Amino acid sequence: MDFIQVYTAIDSKEAAQRIADAVVTRRLAACCWVSGPITSTYWWQGKLEQAEEWVCTMKTRKELYDELEKAIKEIHTYDTPEVLATPIVAGNESYLDWIANETQR
């Protein structure tokens, strides 16, 4: 079984918590960390921007990515939300088993 971490950033702690609640309740992720605030510096529509954001870090199975991305986009307020996945190449076997069990529906 392949596992991933999925990341998104959003402009308020409350919005980040809405994402966390939705994806965990739907069992699309076993857990979601909400961390922040962070400061993001980026280009948007030809202009250098800076914003305070909160990051959601979700642990899940790779096969759930498409459905998880769709759920994030339903809630997210940005025109082009960051939704990135990175593979988990190794981990505590019992923790990975927990992710697998908690994302079964």
Side-chain angles (χ1 to χ4, degrees), residues 63-75:
E63 65 193 67
L64 294 174
Y65 176 81
D66 290 339
E67 196 174 346
L68 178 60
E69 179 184 324
K70 182 180 177 188
I72 292 167
K73 286 175 159 181
E74 287 172 3
I75 299 164

Side-chain angles (χ1 to χ4, degrees), residues 3-73:
F3 298 95
I4 58 175
Q5 286 194 136
V6 177
Y7 307 90
T8 194
I10 196 161
D11 60 357
S12 74
K13 183 178 181 181
E14 295 76 21
Q17 193 59 54
R18 279 194 301 277
I19 290 170
D21 292 345
V23 301
V24 173
T25 299
R26 296 180 199 178
R27 296 203 178 266
L28 296 172
C31 71
C32 177
W33 297 339
V34 172
S35 54
I38 61 163
T39 301
S40 294
T41 303
Y42 54 92
W43 288 103
W44 182 248
Q45 299 178 340
K47 185 177 170 192
L48 188 62
E49 300 280 346
Q50 195 171 71
E52 184 175 84
E53 295 183 301
W54 280 257
V55 177
C56 297
T57 305
M58 296 152 268
K59 287 80 166 180
T60 191
R61 294 179 286 127
K62 184 178 179 182
E63 65 193 67
L64 294 174
Y65 176 81
D66 290 339
E67 196 174 346
L68 178 60
E69 179 184 324
K70 182 180 177 188
I72 292 167
K73 286 175 159 181

